[in-house]
Amino acid sequence: MTRLFNEPAAFADEMIEGFVASHGRWVRRVSGGVARSTKSIPDTVALVIGGGSGHYPAFAGLVGQGLAHGAAMGNLFASPSAQQVYNVAKAASNGGGVLLGYGNYAGDVLHFTQAQDKLRAEGIDCRSIAVTDDISSAPLAEKHKRRGIAGDLTVFKVAAAAAEAGYSLDAVVGIAERANDRTRSFGVAFTGCTLPGAPEPLFTVPAGRMAVGMGIHGEPGIAETDIPTADELAELLVKDLLAEVPEGLSVEGARVVPILNGLGSVKYEELFVVYRRVAQLLAEAGIEAVDPQVGELVTSFDMAGTSLTLFWLDAELEELWLAPADAPAFRRGAVTAQALDADELAAGAEQEAVIPDASDESRAAAPAVLAALDAAKAVIDANVAELGRIDAIAGDGDHGIGMERGVHAAAAAAADAVERGAGAGTTLFLAADAWADKAGGTSGALWGMALRAVGQAVGDTEAPNAAAVAAGVAEAKRSIMDFGRAKVGDKTLVDVLSPFSDALTAAVQGGASLRESWGAAAAVAEQAAEATANLLPVMGRARPHAEKSLGTPDAGAVSMALIVRAIHNTLVENTVKENA
């Protein structure tokens, strides 16, 4: 269990504060995460990495000369928001373009892609690499669906070394993609991990048993076996990894970087015992181990487990892997770095959002937006544990926590906007950004998109009306389905959002008031959420354990149905102008 914390909701922020205070020689705090506190070579590529907190040394521990230029740091096990990624990238940019690197998880893909689009719109050349090294998470034919785990390190290290050496952005991207294609990982766990303040682990493993192929966010393994000896574990890991040699390569005579990674509470001494046999097996196969790494590199809080990564080298990749680096958690060779001056250190701090002008009618309606968000906050607070329980059946169990963080941030941002005289549209915009920023993860991205779409339709010039609200919800549906690529039947919140939007639009177009329309659509949403119990997920972290979720509704669908019903009792019934 995680024992040392204050308020669980503040854990990630307080962790970052302490990390920066203790590692100021390497990093500085910027809005959204950390960036180098040392000068980088002008007009070179900046590597910005990131993901959820709870995996140290990933990701902040890999920021420093010869490694990453910045790290966007999300909440616990939740991807950073698009705004966080954008802010860190702006702070870290050197003028030679930006490469974004992250593990292949739905929330990270959504947020990093949004940040990439925003950077490109400002004229900054930006590319992305999603690491896909975990062989247990999808078959080779669907390698693009695989998760990124400890293989993050190999991809980030060589890409950063190429950037430091002055490679063009195209060349750095090519190096990162080649490293990703040549990296394979496989992991096991003996216990699950427990988030700060949580009463129980995200998953459990029976005493004397081992979960095979688990994920670093608490996703259950794909199989269970009796706990083996150290030698037997080494043999399992090596056998499975050598069964999938990268295309065009052979085992005999290969040069490979082996990384035996501890996931949080396996002792280094135990890892050394396991690596002893790994080294023997690689040698017996005719493989030369280059610069082996044994230790904690990508963790999962207090999870007891380990993973083995094999990084298959060529001459260029080996040179880049062995290049000097000086980061808090990864150092090699001699590196000379000049510290930033005071003004440079202060760059990237958060700035208060400007409130644009709004009509009296729109400002008068803004408290209704706040009331709706407060109602959403109350219903999520009342159901956070149940949402987590539902999500843990086949996923990582953090949906309730993520929704709680997001809706609390959105409500607080809306309250501040109303106090500062914002119109209804701007209130929704700021709430959307806050939700996405603080919740992270897939749900954070999608709820941020939804609130922004409604805010765009409502605007700041008139009081919200039924037609505008329905149009905003329809746009939210379209943008979420286009961006997230989910469709009805995939067991996601789209299974609720789509019929809810269709029912709302139909009722409004039929002449019903907004109160009547929203109420009828909320009933449709509730039925749709219940019906997701009969579906199998085809997207996200629950996909590898689809059969476990049969009979249980989707957590994202349930939370959406709860919120639209709560809104029906506040915003629609009491305070929104009803004219279609």
Side-chain angles (χ1 to χ4, degrees):
M1 62 182 295
T2 305
R3 298 173 179 85
L4 301 176
F5 56 90
N6 296 311
E7 288 295 325
F11 186 90
D13 286 337
E14 292 180 348
M15 177 273 296
I16 297 171
E17 183 180 350
F19 172 72
V20 172
S22 59
H23 292 84
R25 181 165 79 83
W26 294 275
V27 300
R28 60 191 167 103
R29 183 73 184 268
V30 299
S31 178
V34 298
R36 289 184 186 178
S37 60
T38 56
K39 294 182 183 294
S40 300
I41 302 171
D43 300 319
T44 56
V45 174
L47 172 66
V48 173
I49 63 177
S53 298
H55 303 301
Y56 190 85
F59 295 86
L62 303 180
V63 175
Q65 208 75 19
L67 243 163
H69 296 74
M73 302 172 68
N75 281 299
L76 302 178
F77 289 5
S79 66
S81 69
Q83 189 64 39
Q84 286 180 287
V85 178
Y86 168 82
N87 290 341
V88 174
K90 289 281 284 187
S93 177
N94 301 314
V98 174
L99 174 62
L100 304 177
Y102 49 91
N104 188 36
Y105 299 90
D108 294 281
V109 173
L110 288 171
H111 287 294
F112 278 86
T113 301
Q114 286 179 329
Q116 174 181 271
D117 291 344
K118 187 173 182 179
L119 291 164
R120 287 177 173 176
E122 294 183 3
I124 297 174
D125 196 357
C126 183
R127 319 286 177 81
S128 296
I129 179 73
V131 181
T132 55
D133 60 304
D134 181 9
I135 66 171
S136 71
S137 54
L140 182 59
E142 297 181 327
K143 188 176 184 293
H144 63 284
K145 295 182 180 179
R146 287 179 170 176
R147 302 178 293 221
I149 51 175
D152 286 356
L153 175 63
T154 66
V155 177
F156 298 162
K157 173 61 179 70
V158 298
E164 205 79 27
Y167 284 37
S168 69
L169 181 56
D170 285 341
V172 172
V173 171
I175 287 292
E177 291 174 343
R178 196 189 329 158
N180 189 44
D181 288 341
R182 287 169 168 254
T183 301
R184 303 285 190 275
S185 300
F186 188 54
V188 300
F190 312 107
T191 67
C193 54
T194 306
L195 298 180
E200 57 189 28
L202 292 176
F203 74 94
T204 58
V205 182
R209 301 281 285 175
M210 177 178 75
V212 178
M214 80 305 133
I216 59 171
H217 300 93
E219 304 96 326
I222 58 174
E224 277 185 10
T225 67
D226 290 336
I227 294 179
T229 66
D231 282 1
E232 289 169 344
L233 176 57
E235 289 159 7
L236 170 68
L237 296 173
V238 171
K239 174 180 67 69
D240 282 14
L241 288 175
L242 292 189
E244 190 180 304
V245 177
E247 185 177 0
L249 303 180
S250 61
V251 171
E252 184 67 33
R255 294 173 64 80
V256 170
V257 176
I259 300 173
L260 188 64
N261 173 59
L263 284 162
S265 63
V266 172
K267 293 286 293 179
Y268 272 62
E269 289 87 346
E270 295 175 273
L271 295 175
F272 293 141
V273 173
V274 175
Y275 185 74
R276 158 193 159 276
R277 183 59 178 150
V278 169
Q280 293 170 356
L281 292 167
L282 294 178
E284 291 169 7
I287 294 172
E288 183 171 352
V290 178
D291 189 36
Q293 302 291 314
V294 179
E296 293 184 347
L297 296 161
V298 179
T299 62
S300 185
F301 268 106
D302 58 331
M303 184 185 290
T306 184
S307 64
L308 178 64
T309 299
L310 297 182
F311 176 33
W312 300 74
L313 298 170
D314 59 26
E316 184 178 27
L317 291 175
E318 182 170 347
E319 180 180 359
L320 294 169
W321 173 260
L322 296 175
D326 184 28
F330 195 89
R331 307 174 203 171
R332 65 149 47 91
V335 174
T336 301
Q338 182 180 355
L340 297 173
D341 60 33
D343 290 340
E344 291 169 322
L345 285 171
E350 286 192 63
Q351 297 180 349
E352 187 176 62
V354 175
I355 301 296
D357 291 337
S359 69
D360 291 341
E361 293 83 0
S362 185
R363 283 198 298 270
V369 174
L370 174 57
L373 288 166
D374 281 340
K377 180 175 70 172
V379 77
I380 292 300
D381 285 349
N383 290 275
V384 63
E386 177 62 9
L387 292 171
R389 186 195 68 79
I390 294 172
D391 189 42
I393 289 173
D396 55 15
D398 69 345
H399 181 73
I401 296 172
M403 289 293 293
E404 186 177 45
R405 284 193 299 252
V407 73
H408 275 252
D416 178 68
V418 170
E419 184 177 345
R420 295 167 61 198
T426 293
T427 300
L428 281 162
F429 287 159
L430 295 177
D433 291 344
W435 192 315
D437 195 31
K438 293 301 181 183
T442 307
S443 66
L446 300 185
W447 275 97
M449 293 173 70
L451 294 183
R452 180 163 281 275
V454 177
Q456 183 69 41
V458 167
D460 283 336
T461 59
E462 298 177 358
N465 59 55
V469 172
V473 174
E475 175 58 23
K477 179 188 78 169
R478 187 201 64 77
S479 59
I480 286 174
M481 293 180 71
D482 286 351
F483 198 81
R485 301 187 189 91
K487 60 184 183 299
V488 173
D490 286 350
K491 198 163 187 171
T492 70
L493 63 78
V494 167
D495 289 298
V496 168
L497 176 59
S498 181
F500 171 77
S501 175
D502 293 347
L504 179 65
T505 298
V508 169
Q509 290 178 346
S513 69
L514 185 53
R515 173 180 57 81
E516 294 166 338
S517 300
W518 194 284
V524 170
E526 290 165 337
Q527 294 171 358
E530 292 177 6
T532 62
N534 301 317
L535 300 174
L536 290 173
V538 298
M539 302 184 72
R541 295 177 188 167
R543 178 181 51 81
H545 306 280
E547 70 288 346
K548 293 184 178 181
S549 77
L550 194 61
T552 302
D554 177 68
V558 171
S559 61
M560 174 160 279
L562 289 170
I563 287 174
V564 298
R565 175 56 71 188
I567 291 175
H568 175 252
N569 297 324
T570 55
L571 177 65
V572 176
E573 287 188 345
N574 301 315
T575 53
V576 173
K577 182 178 178 181
E578 297 181 0
N579 60 0

